Amino acid sequence: METAFSASMGTEVEVSEPLIEKITAEEDQLIPEWKDQITIRGLAVSAIMGTLFCIITHRLNLTVGIIPSLNIAAGLLGFLSVKSWTSFLSKLGFSTKPFTRQENTVIQTCVVACYGLAASGGFGSSFLAMDKRTYKLIGTEYPGNRAEDVKNPGLGWMIVFMFVVSFVGLFSLVALRKVMILDGKLTYPSGTATAVLINGFHTNAGAELAGFYFDFSPTYVGCGLICPRIVNCSVLLGAIVSWGFLWPYISQHAGDWYPADLGNSDFKGLYGYKVFIAISLILGDGLYNLIKIISVTFKELCNKRTKVSKLPIDNEIQDTESSRLLIDQKKRENVFLKDGIPTWFAASGYVGLAAISTATIPTIFPPLKWYLVLLLYLIAPALAFCNSYGAGLTDCSLSLTYAKIGLFIIASLVGTNGGVIAGLAACGVMMSIVSTAADLMQDFKTGYLTLSSAKSMFVSQLLGTAMGCVFAPLTFWMYWTAFDIGSPDGPYKAPYAVILREMAILGIEGFSELPKHCLALCCGFFVAALVINLLRDVIPEKISKFIPVPMAMAIPFFVGAYLAIDMFVGTVILFIWERINRKDSEDYAGAVASGLICGDGIWTMPSAVLSIFSINPPICMYFGPTVSS
């Protein structure tokens, strides 16, 4: 199954192995049991850092609406906190338990799970889209904007909503951890870079690369170095197709296909094409690979005895370095799979939590009936897989984009009598599931590379999520009571609130309200994604390796073309480096890529602090077309 899956997705990452620290005999013997990787001091540090990160996340979410990945900063601050504490106690004469990379990884995972709920819980988006201020901002006379569809934030119902929704996503894909991390070999650039940083802190060899960690360079250049070349080229192709041809072509029909005087975030205009065409391309690719994984897995289970008798045997004589890397890789896989999470446990956990959520959510949002909640949980795993797959390829989590699918579907099903509230509530449910699933897979990648148990990763995610269910609403409530949230004249404008409420109103009218030819274009791109994936599977590998990955192509359709340029610069640098000195590129490209990502990631902390105090950059640059005299 490994060969078929990894080859078909084009995500074989040859550059990732050389950047992994070699496992010494001492390290091999000192790997703690999964229970010992979770410590009281680690959970205490996680709680403090989780609260701090929730405050920062809310601030960014309510102002600019863009939240950078703080995984790397969590790993760094976790190390500094525990290391400083143990050093202080040692100076006082107290004996302390050694601080291992596994404990460091657990802290990072716990913090990410905690602040992740502040980012994906709906505090800066779906919750505020329900409130009275957003209702008035859109206009009391606006068609479909009813006074009955208003629900102001409340601390009690937000905490209950977090507890009944947030844990479900953790169980949705945990059974696919081996397929995503080991068989598919998805890169998860931030998870890989975080692992390199943590390994560097806990090994002498890693200290030699410390100079890279504070090289404040763009994240996506590093992603371009570490991601497979076909992924980078696919992202660039997607940017060219969308921003070079498709969007300019559609813009020429403004006034015919859609009203010309619409805003940049109006779903009845160009923005609607961007969102729904990107979603169609992503769904086509994700669903194809999900069905393929299920079919291949079923086939392998049926032929399990045959598979065991036909294990590949490498008869070639390998050099010492290659043999060592292969042995280290097998050790990592054994550690990762040692403390398994049974499939029955994941399935029963998802079903049980979904049942509790299905019974509870209608009491919070009466228009969202129980059978509609059940419908969300039936389609959520497929969307969670698509998001996790895309994040593994390009490091971009599009949880809000997938949440808009649930919003639009539920709003259209409910209709004018409560469709706005039902759609926005569905948006919150879907966003939480797909986001936590992607975060979990990102942390599994970090755990795999730091010799951490998958079970300790999962348990720390559960603990961090429990913290986030309390800390995220409490810290949001601090902002809600202290500031004028949603005011267009204040610093906390909450830009996504108006956008989501307008989309819910649009959803009430169904697909008929989409701009002209939008539905036809969506169907075309959905079919195109299926056909491209089919061609990648049936055409010989020497040709199929040049066929683009639809999932990667879809990212710039919605996000923008900027990351495509950055990632392509990274792949060009690697290409030239390989031509100059292939051995050095194989040894150090991963380290350089991780350094770029780590440097940019670490800078998010001081940058966020400066943003909180409204300190603007001293220089701003803008590039635009020349103005003819």
Side-chain angles (χ1 to χ4, degrees):
M1 182 168 67
E2 177 177 345
T3 303
F5 182 59
S6 58
S8 68
M9 292 201 306
T11 54
E12 191 75 36
V13 187
E14 298 176 357
V15 74
S16 62
E17 296 302 332
L19 65 90
I20 303 172
E21 298 299 331
K22 295 181 177 62
I23 303 173
T24 64
E26 182 181 3
E27 290 172 337
D28 195 13
Q29 295 176 357
L30 295 179
I31 298 175
E33 293 295 323
W34 75 269
K35 292 182 181 179
D36 297 328
Q37 297 174 19
I38 304 172
T39 63
I40 298 298
R41 69 184 179 191
L43 294 178
V45 169
S46 299
I48 296 172
M49 289 177 54
T51 303
L52 173 63
F53 278 39
C54 280
I55 294 173
I56 294 173
T57 299
H58 284 314
R59 172 65 171 77
L60 297 174
N61 209 3
L62 295 172
T63 51
V64 296
I66 299 174
I67 304 169
S69 173
L70 299 175
N71 297 39
I72 294 167
L76 171 64
L77 293 181
F79 173 81
L80 294 177
S81 299
V82 177
K83 204 66 176 177
S84 300
W85 175 247
T86 54
S87 298
F88 176 73
L89 291 180
S90 297
K91 290 180 180 179
L92 295 179
F94 295 97
S95 60
T96 58
K97 183 179 179 180
F99 182 43
T100 64
R101 69 180 74 187
Q102 289 80 14
E103 184 181 358
N104 199 161
T105 305
V106 164
I107 293 173
Q108 179 265 338
T109 300
C110 202
V111 172
V112 169
C114 181
Y115 92 81
L117 295 189
S120 64
F123 297 100
S125 53
S126 58
F127 289 171
L128 291 180
M130 301 179 188
D131 76 351
K132 191 172 184 179
R133 180 183 291 277
T134 305
Y135 159 73
K136 290 183 176 180
L137 281 176
I138 291 178
T140 56
E141 303 300 324
Y142 190 89
N145 189 32
R146 305 187 315 153
E148 294 85 351
D149 294 325
V150 170
K151 186 178 181 66
N152 287 319
L155 185 59
W157 71 257
M158 288 191 300
I159 292 178
V160 173
F161 181 82
M162 288 291 100
F163 271 106
V164 299
V165 168
S166 302
F167 292 93
V168 184
L170 300 179
F171 289 86
S172 60
L173 293 184
V174 67
L176 295 180
R177 65 193 181 281
K178 180 178 179 294
V179 174
M180 305 283 274
I181 304 300
L182 302 184
D183 298 337
K185 290 182 169 59
L186 292 175
T187 313
Y188 291 101
S190 287
T192 298
T194 304
V196 173
L197 181 71
I198 292 175
N199 283 336
F201 286 145
H202 294 273
T203 59
N204 294 329
E208 298 174 2
L209 300 175
F212 290 115
Y213 297 144
F214 296 93
D215 182 4
F216 304 117
S217 300
T219 294
Y220 290 112
V221 175
C223 290
L225 281 167
I226 205 172
C227 285
R229 192 164 294 151
I230 185 61
V231 171
N232 299 323
C233 293
S234 299
V235 173
L236 181 64
L237 179 61
I240 294 172
V241 170
S242 58
W243 294 91
F245 296 99
L246 189 57
W247 306 152
Y249 175 77
I250 295 176
S251 298
Q252 291 176 0
H253 292 80
D256 179 18
W257 290 12
Y258 59 91
D261 57 347
L262 297 178
N264 293 331
S265 300
D266 197 312
F267 285 91
K268 294 184 179 181
L270 181 61
Y271 188 72
Y273 291 98
K274 293 180 181 180
V275 171
F276 288 103
I277 290 177
I279 289 174
S280 300
L281 199 56
I282 290 170
L283 285 180
D285 187 306
L287 292 178
Y288 179 92
N289 281 286
L290 178 61
I291 294 171
K292 180 179 177 181
I293 288 173
I294 294 173
S295 61
V296 171
T297 303
F298 181 76
K299 181 180 178 181
E300 293 296 328
L301 290 174
C302 293
N303 299 327
K304 191 172 183 181
R305 293 182 180 180
T306 306
K307 181 180 178 183
V308 172
S309 64
K310 293 183 179 180
L311 287 173
I313 301 175
D314 190 356
N315 294 322
E316 297 181 4
I317 300 176
Q318 297 180 322
D319 57 73
T320 305
E321 182 69 15
S322 298
S323 299
R324 179 59 183 271
L325 287 174
L326 183 60
I327 293 173
D328 285 355
Q329 180 181 343
K330 295 303 295 182
K331 287 181 179 178
R332 293 180 190 280
E333 292 179 359
N334 290 336
V335 171
F336 186 71
L337 300 175
K338 176 184 175 183
D339 301 308
I341 303 170
T343 302
W344 66 264
F345 176 77
S348 58
Y350 185 84
V351 172
L353 291 171
I356 295 173
S357 183
T358 300
T360 306
I361 289 179
T363 64
I364 304 174
F365 306 105
L368 187 59
K369 304 301 181 182
W370 68 268
Y371 50 86
L372 297 175
V373 180
L374 180 61
L375 174 63
L376 289 174
Y377 285 123
L378 290 176
I379 65 176
L383 299 183
F385 170 80
C386 293
N387 191 42
S388 298
Y389 171 38
L393 286 175
T394 64
D395 212 33
C396 290
S397 176
L398 301 178
S399 56
L400 184 57
T401 302
Y402 291 100
K404 291 172 183 174
I405 299 175
L407 186 157
F408 195 83
I409 292 175
I410 298 301
S412 62
L413 290 176
V414 175
T416 56
N417 189 20
V420 171
I421 291 295
L424 292 172
C427 176
V429 172
M430 192 65 72
M431 183 161 55
S432 176
I433 294 173
V434 299
S435 179
T436 53
D439 289 343
L440 179 62
M441 285 300 164
Q442 193 90 252
D443 290 330
F444 272 148
K445 182 70 174 185
T446 304
Y448 164 69
L449 296 177
T450 57
L451 294 171
S452 302
S453 167
K455 185 175 288 187
S456 69
M457 293 289 95
F458 185 68
V459 172
S460 61
Q461 274 275 349
L462 292 174
L463 295 172
T465 300
M467 294 179 189
C469 289
V470 178
F471 297 155
L474 284 175
T475 49
F476 171 78
W477 196 248
M478 176 185 70
Y479 279 97
W480 177 258
T481 55
F483 303 104
D484 194 12
I485 303 298
S487 172
D489 300 321
Y492 301 102
K493 296 179 174 63
Y496 282 112
V498 172
I499 293 174
L500 290 182
R501 188 174 183 91
E502 286 185 342
M503 185 174 184
I505 295 172
L506 174 66
I508 292 173
E509 303 298 329
F511 290 105
S512 61
E513 289 299 308
L514 290 176
K516 193 174 182 180
H517 302 305
C518 182
L519 186 58
L521 287 170
C522 290
C523 294
F525 276 92
F526 180 84
V527 173
L530 298 177
V531 172
I532 291 173
N533 275 290
L534 185 62
L535 290 175
R536 288 173 60 83
D537 284 340
V538 300
I539 291 178
E541 185 180 355
K542 63 180 181 180
I543 300 176
S544 65
K545 66 182 181 181
F546 296 108
I547 298 178
V549 181
M551 179 74 73
M553 289 181 62
I555 302 299
F557 271 61
F558 177 71
V559 175
Y562 66 94
L563 88 165
I565 303 299
D566 292 342
M567 293 180 70
F568 190 70
V569 167
T571 204
V572 169
I573 292 173
L574 181 61
F575 179 80
I576 296 173
W577 195 354
E578 288 174 346
R579 294 300 177 271
I580 297 174
N581 191 323
R582 175 171 288 275
K583 182 65 169 63
D584 280 355
S585 69
E586 292 176 350
D587 290 341
Y588 296 108
V592 173
S594 299
L596 294 173
I597 298 172
C598 287
D600 209 21
I602 292 170
W603 174 245
T604 58
M605 284 301 297
S607 175
V609 172
L610 292 175
S611 176
I612 288 175
F613 291 101
S614 300
I615 299 176
N616 296 319
I619 299 176
C620 291
M621 300 179 67
Y622 170 76
F623 295 90
T626 57
V627 180
S628 57
S629 55

